[in-house]
Amino acid sequence: MTDNHTTKHPLTLLGLGDMGTALARTWLAAGHPLTVWNRTAAKAGALAADGATVAADPAGAVAANGLVVLCLLDDASIDDVLKDVDLTGRDLVNLTTGTPAEGRARAAWAAERGARFVDGGIMATPTMIGVPEAGGYVFYSGSRALFDTHRAALEVPAGARFVGEDPGHAALHDVALLSAMYGMFAGISHAYALIEGEDIAPNDLAPLLSEWLGAMGFFVGNAGERLTSRDLTTGVVSNLAMQVAASGTLLRTAGEQGVSAELIAPYLDLMRRRLDADPAAHGGEDTVGAIALLRSGVRTPQGASSHSFLPCGRTKRP
Ligand code: FVH
């Protein structure tokens, strides 16, 4: 502990799971006076030894400081912890993973209780917390005034990126990035399954996969540009008609290797449906056009809704 606690930013943390504990350690190491509470009290023991004040209950923890950070399992657990607690005048920062709708509802809930609110989406694992070179950060959205007031404390565990005053947008950014990550995990899993039982070592495929995924990373920016310009055809180098034809090879190879295509088939199917909707219109696109079918939520070539932000050709509802 440092001698200059009074110049530091006192705060309360509710939730001492793996992530909450990692957060707590960074605030304590930086000399911020920290009050903690956890449903299972034993998890607070090591932090108490490092200087944290352990509150007896959530009400006591919330009363201790103006800034109250939540790092609980899910949105429902927030109700369990805070349903009977006076939040008047508190600044709530919710680092519990949730949906955009949960973030917006939680902001309204906090306002009804006289609290300012910011929602957060943590883009880091516990081991990346307090390790700036690991590159972890947190998306924040909601009250800009709250964020500006507490920014210095919030930047202690990891970088802070404010993404707007819509309290749903931190979760939306979080889930968008996580969804892309799981898509990548799915492709990698399929690739390793394909070589299993062959004379190809996973450790030999690994650098090839990394290199290839890095090279294909251009698709992120390419898709962003096309979604913005709505130009799906200029400069396309691997057109949809060719990619759909080639996708049969991927599916046959999965069959030959005895591997389920369940992880890659949905995306290949989406490409095919986009092409089938209007081969002349969509054959010269790349795969960005398939996003229009996702927005429709309808699994037919005619199913894209009028809400789509992409030109859909004949994919709009008749
Ligand atoms: N760990 C990770 O890699 C990810 C990284 C990205 C962000 N997530 C989210 O962070 C939230 C907390 O995650 P965590 O890793 O700390 O999760 P756990 O170790 O499982 O700890 C959960 C804490 O929540 C408490 N809790 C659960 N249910 C209740 C309840 N009904 N009432 C009160 N507290 C509850 C639990 O208490 P206890 O089991 O120790 O008594 C823990 O403190 C989460 O949203 C991740 O999605 C982590």
Side-chain angles (χ1 to χ4, degrees):
M1 276 309 96
T2 59
D3 291 329
N4 60 344
H5 267 187
T6 52
T7 64
K8 296 292 185 177
H9 202 121
L11 73 158
T12 285
L13 173 64
L14 303 176
L16 299 175
D18 293 341
M19 182 55 76
T21 299
L23 297 171
R25 288 205 176 104
T26 67
W27 282 311
L28 289 171
H32 294 276
L34 181 69
T35 299
V36 297
W37 176 85
N38 193 61
R39 179 180 62 178
T40 305
K43 289 186 184 174
L47 294 170
D50 287 343
T53 300
V54 181
D57 53 34
V62 168
N65 293 300
L67 173 58
V68 177
V69 178
L70 312 175
C71 191
L72 298 164
L73 183 64
D74 55 17
D75 186 69
S77 52
I78 299 174
D79 285 324
D80 290 344
V81 173
L82 291 179
K83 60 179 180 299
D84 296 323
V85 175
D86 182 7
L87 301 178
T88 309
R90 303 294 99 172
D91 283 345
L92 291 189
V93 174
N94 179 31
L95 300 184
T96 307
T97 300
T99 70
E102 285 168 349
R104 291 175 185 130
R106 199 50 73 184
W109 171 90
E112 284 166 15
R113 285 157 182 76
R116 295 194 297 186
F117 181 84
V118 157
D119 204 41
I122 302 175
M123 306 310 301
T125 61
T127 54
M128 295 163 75
I129 296 299
V131 185
E133 58 274 22
Y137 62 87
V138 181
F139 287 120
Y140 292 97
S141 70
S143 166
R144 176 92 221 191
L146 183 162
F147 178 75
D148 288 342
T149 302
H150 301 294
R151 182 172 195 147
L154 297 176
E155 284 180 331
V156 169
R161 300 186 185 189
F162 189 80
V163 290
E165 298 217 273
D166 182 330
H169 279 186
L172 190 52
H173 280 77
D174 182 358
V175 173
L177 268 58
L178 290 178
S179 300
M181 178 190 79
Y182 282 116
M184 182 181 74
F185 287 175
I188 293 168
S189 300
H190 184 82
Y192 277 120
L194 285 177
I195 64 157
E196 196 173 307
E198 299 279 348
D199 191 18
I200 303 172
N203 280 338
D204 289 338
L205 190 69
L208 302 174
L209 275 175
S210 287
E211 188 180 54
W212 180 244
L213 292 176
M216 292 298 104
F218 80 90
F219 183 73
V220 177
N222 173 64
E225 289 292 332
R226 294 196 185 284
L227 293 170
T228 302
S229 67
R230 296 175 180 240
D231 179 351
L232 304 184
T233 53
T234 303
V236 167
V237 290
S238 300
N239 69 59
L240 187 64
M242 178 280 294
Q243 293 203 53
V244 169
S247 68
T249 306
L250 272 65
L251 296 171
R252 289 198 308 279
T253 301
E256 287 175 12
Q257 297 299 106
V259 171
S260 165
E262 64 193 301
L263 292 178
I264 62 164
Y267 189 68
L268 301 180
D269 182 53
L270 203 70
M271 291 180 355
R272 183 189 52 72
R273 287 191 289 125
R274 175 71 175 177
L275 180 67
D276 287 352
D278 189 339
H282 302 318
E285 300 173 353
D286 62 15
T287 62
V288 176
I291 298 169
L293 296 173
L294 292 179
R295 293 291 302 184
S296 75
V298 178
R299 293 184 57 84
T300 70
Q302 286 76 34
S305 79
S306 57
H307 301 133
S308 177
F309 52 89
L310 280 172
C312 295
R314 287 183 210 156
T315 61
K316 288 183 188 288
R317 288 180 195 282

